[in-house]
Amino acid sequence: MRHDFIDRYSRLESPVHALDPRAKAIALFAVIIACVTTPANVWWPYAIYAALVLIIANASRLPFSYLLTRMLVVAPFVLVVAVCVPFMHGAGPTYDLGVFSVTQGGLLVLWNVAAKALISVSCLILLSSTTEFADLMHGFERLHVPQFFTTVAAFMYRYIFIIIDEAERMKRARDSRNFRGRWLWHIKVIGHMVASLFLRSQERAERVYQAMSARGFDGSFPRWKETHMHAPDWAFMGIITATALAGRLVVLWK
Amino acid sequence: MIPFAREYAISITDLEYSYPDGTKALRGVDLKIRRNETVAIMGPNGAGKSTLALHFNGILTGSSGKVEVMGIEVNKKNMRKVRDIVGLVFQDPDDQLFSPTVREDVAFGPLNQRLSPERVDHAVSRALAWVGMEGSEQRSPHHMSFGEKKRISVATVLAMDPEVLVMDEPVANMDPRGRRAFLELIKVLEGTKIIVTHDLGMARELCDRVVLMDKGLIVADGRPSATLSDEVLLEKHGLI
């Protein structure tokens, strides 16, 4: 079975793809941090962050339709907040919308969540879609992210699709025997499937570890890939980080 | 002259092994495999073939008995040396290949051997050339076909330059063309080769010797022409 990898556009060629993963990681995390710490009642810094995201997205030559689809992951969270807005009692004038009314404070919360979520998630999508996963993990390691985290992430990336395949095969075998998991009493069958998936994964983990030990693995991952930051990497990192932080700091001074 | 101890690639004396749940998988196995021999280990499911294979480089260690590899006893102290000598190719390539790229996976063993970066690169390209997968360094193993994954699995072990190559069901689940190509590949590899398999045709074609196992014991050991034409024996142990 074929799957969409989270880094399926990471082999495109563009100025953004060519950058060192460390430069991209630092610059985009700077935008995220600046964004999530900016107070919601000033809107123009958000315009700066959004502009940065749009500029990078445009330079990366990623299809916009792809970016938009990926951004939908934040929709449920924003939706939950949106549903709650009429029940929030915030400051400011109240707007009557017929059956319910909303306060300006409530809308501000919605705007806050939506803007921050969208910008942060776009940054992460840009990072993961313009960098091959392996390079990204190496980049994080070079930034002294503990190897434990990068290793767990790398294994997850490698094996999640195998687990999805296994689940899919189980589901097919189950459905060919005319199972319709619609009712509450079917929950037992689903529970068994989850349990058996868990056991299979654990057994696989055991075998993977054996195969690694057979090749002399002793608990520490060897490294050998060395990359260097060049002028464009420094420039990208400097300009993006500086712009994002400038937007954030000006708000602070006012 | 080769010193006596190094005459055998693998020397196993009275090996017993029980799984944690108490199931006896090996009940006193004696096996000596000469250097540069190609040996098939055959037998029905649950005979203990794979369990035995896991003892060749100390992934499992028996509750009693002795395993020697090139005259070196397999124990905690010698583990690194033993795993440099014995390469193990697992049955499911998805167990063997865990890295995001082929290059990293093939380099994993050589890096654990603490080779210099240049020698690692050299070992990677040499191993990939051996299995006919040159130029696939940057590909992701998950995107590959089963046959390709299998080849890469072998490359990850060949990159460590083992003197003894152990393969668990190397051609199971392969289509006939893939199987054929794989047999040709195994044929040209040098050194001691131990193949765990159900495939009678492969054993006949590749091996100098067939070791037949059942219920944790070796029940027959001899030339393929003799062992594999004994229909009563094969039928008794579930191979036909």
Side-chain angles (χ1 to χ4, degrees):
Chain A
M1 282 170 247
R2 290 287 188 187
H3 304 283
D4 279 345
F5 279 62
I6 61 161
D7 60 348
R8 66 185 256 229
Y9 283 108
S10 63
R11 286 176 181 79
L12 288 182
E13 278 182 25
S14 85
V16 184
H17 287 74
L19 291 168
D20 190 291
R22 285 171 289 177
K24 280 184 270 190
I26 291 178
L28 289 165
F29 276 110
V31 177
I32 292 177
I33 289 168
C35 173
V36 296
T37 57
T38 304
N41 53 8
V42 274
W43 62 270
W44 58 265
Y46 292 97
I48 296 182
Y49 310 139
L52 286 177
V53 168
L54 285 173
I55 289 166
I56 300 172
N58 193 42
S60 72
R61 296 183 194 144
L62 293 168
F64 267 89
S65 56
Y66 168 76
L67 290 175
L68 288 176
T69 344
R70 293 294 305 275
M71 278 162 71
L72 282 180
V73 294
V74 300
F77 302 100
V78 175
L79 211 63
V80 166
V81 177
V83 169
C84 296
V85 165
F87 306 104
M88 288 185 222
H89 301 287
T94 306
Y95 307 99
D96 198 359
L97 295 177
V99 276
F100 57 85
S101 63
V102 293
T103 61
Q104 198 179 27
L107 286 177
L108 203 59
V109 171
L110 179 61
W111 149 256
N112 192 21
V113 170
K116 287 180 178 174
L118 282 176
I119 289 173
S120 307
V121 164
S122 323
C123 287
L124 291 178
I125 295 169
L126 284 176
L127 181 60
S128 61
S129 309
T130 61
T131 320
E132 280 184 40
F133 199 81
D135 294 338
L136 191 60
M137 288 305 120
H138 282 297
F140 280 147
E141 272 174 28
R142 300 287 299 281
L143 290 172
H144 300 286
V145 171
Q147 213 179 22
F148 176 78
F149 294 112
T150 56
T151 306
V152 169
F155 273 104
M156 198 163 80
Y157 173 79
R158 171 68 183 88
Y159 284 102
I160 188 79
F161 303 105
I162 290 175
I163 295 172
I164 294 172
D165 277 352
E166 253 170 52
E168 188 61 32
R169 281 198 299 269
M170 278 162 79
K171 195 171 147 306
R172 283 180 189 168
R174 184 196 70 187
D175 292 346
S176 2
R177 283 172 284 164
N178 253 334
F179 174 82
R180 287 190 183 81
R182 301 254 167 89
W183 308 100
L184 196 59
W185 52 88
H186 288 137
I187 209 156
K188 193 173 152 194
V189 177
I190 293 163
H192 286 319
M193 283 179 67
V194 171
S196 111
L197 202 57
F198 176 77
L199 285 176
R200 286 191 202 185
S201 308
Q202 199 194 342
E203 280 163 9
R204 183 179 295 280
E206 190 78 22
R207 293 195 304 271
V208 171
Y209 179 71
Q210 285 183 342
M212 289 169 75
S213 306
R215 287 190 277 160
F217 179 65
D218 57 8
S220 67
F221 276 90
R223 302 175 188 190
W224 99 115
K225 202 171 182 175
E226 292 294 317
T227 50
H228 296 283
M229 298 264 288
H230 298 292
D233 304 317
W234 288 109
F236 176 84
M237 193 173 88
I239 293 171
I240 302 288
T241 310
T243 316
L245 293 184
R248 177 70 191 90
L249 291 176
V250 171
V251 179
L252 206 65
W253 280 325
K254 274 196 170 174
Chain B
M1 203 188 104
I2 307 159
F4 178 73
R6 297 195 44 126
E7 187 185 341
Y8 294 114
I10 305 265
S11 162
I12 293 173
T13 337
D14 199 25
L15 184 68
E16 287 185 15
Y17 181 80
S18 306
Y19 275 101
D21 67 354
T23 320
K24 278 209 160 189
L26 301 175
R27 316 160 176 261
V29 170
D30 286 288
L31 179 63
K32 289 191 169 31
I33 292 171
R34 284 172 193 283
R35 298 182 72 178
N36 298 320
E37 243 182 337
T38 303
V39 181
I41 298 182
M42 307 191 73
N45 293 331
K49 311 179 297 284
S50 299
T51 310
L52 181 63
L54 290 174
H55 280 83
F56 291 152
N57 71 350
I59 295 293
L60 297 179
T61 44
S63 37
S64 75
K66 198 162 114 180
V67 181
E68 280 182 354
V69 169
M70 294 286 176
I72 303 167
E73 192 181 337
V74 178
N75 57 26
K76 274 228 162 65
K77 208 181 78 213
N78 294 331
M79 213 53 98
R80 187 167 280 275
K81 225 186 279 172
V82 166
R83 288 176 181 170
D84 279 349
I85 298 173
V86 182
L88 206 59
V89 183
F90 284 66
Q91 181 174 352
D92 182 350
D94 279 323
D95 293 341
Q96 183 100 29
L97 306 175
F98 63 89
S99 309
T101 64
V102 165
R103 176 201 184 81
E104 280 171 281
D105 233 316
V106 180
F108 181 71
L111 284 167
N112 283 327
Q113 291 175 313
R114 307 284 187 265
L115 299 185
S116 64
E118 299 77 48
R119 292 184 60 199
V120 170
D121 278 337
H122 179 240
V124 171
S125 32
R126 194 187 48 179
L128 287 176
W130 268 334
V131 300
M133 292 292 295
E134 305 95 324
S136 64
E137 281 92 339
Q138 293 307 325
R139 291 175 64 192
S140 151
H142 190 75
H143 280 314
M144 295 184 150
S145 74
F146 184 80
E148 287 176 318
K149 281 192 214 175
K150 207 70 208 204
R151 282 165 178 269
I152 300 297
S153 299
V154 176
T156 62
V157 172
L158 290 181
M160 299 175 72
D161 212 1
E163 286 171 71
V164 181
L165 184 64
V166 185
M167 286 170 280
D168 195 353
E169 296 288 4
V171 295
N173 294 328
M174 270 194 182
D175 60 32
R177 193 197 308 166
R179 176 180 173 278
R180 173 99 321 261
F182 209 79
L183 292 193
E184 297 304 323
L185 165 68
I186 300 174
K187 225 181 251 177
V188 298
L189 294 176
E190 287 176 5
T192 316
K193 286 168 273 183
I194 304 172
I195 305 169
V196 175
T197 184
H198 294 295
D199 190 324
L200 294 171
M202 177 170 67
R204 274 198 198 98
E205 188 173 336
L206 293 181
C207 300
D208 315 316
R209 183 177 159 196
V210 173
V211 173
L212 193 57
M213 289 185 77
D214 200 357
K215 302 192 179 77
L217 286 170
I218 291 178
V219 291
D221 186 346
R223 300 195 69 78
S225 51
T227 320
L228 298 182
S229 49
D230 187 343
E231 292 204 357
V232 179
L233 181 77
L234 293 182
E235 176 133 29
K236 190 179 167 200
H237 299 291
L239 285 173
I240 46 172

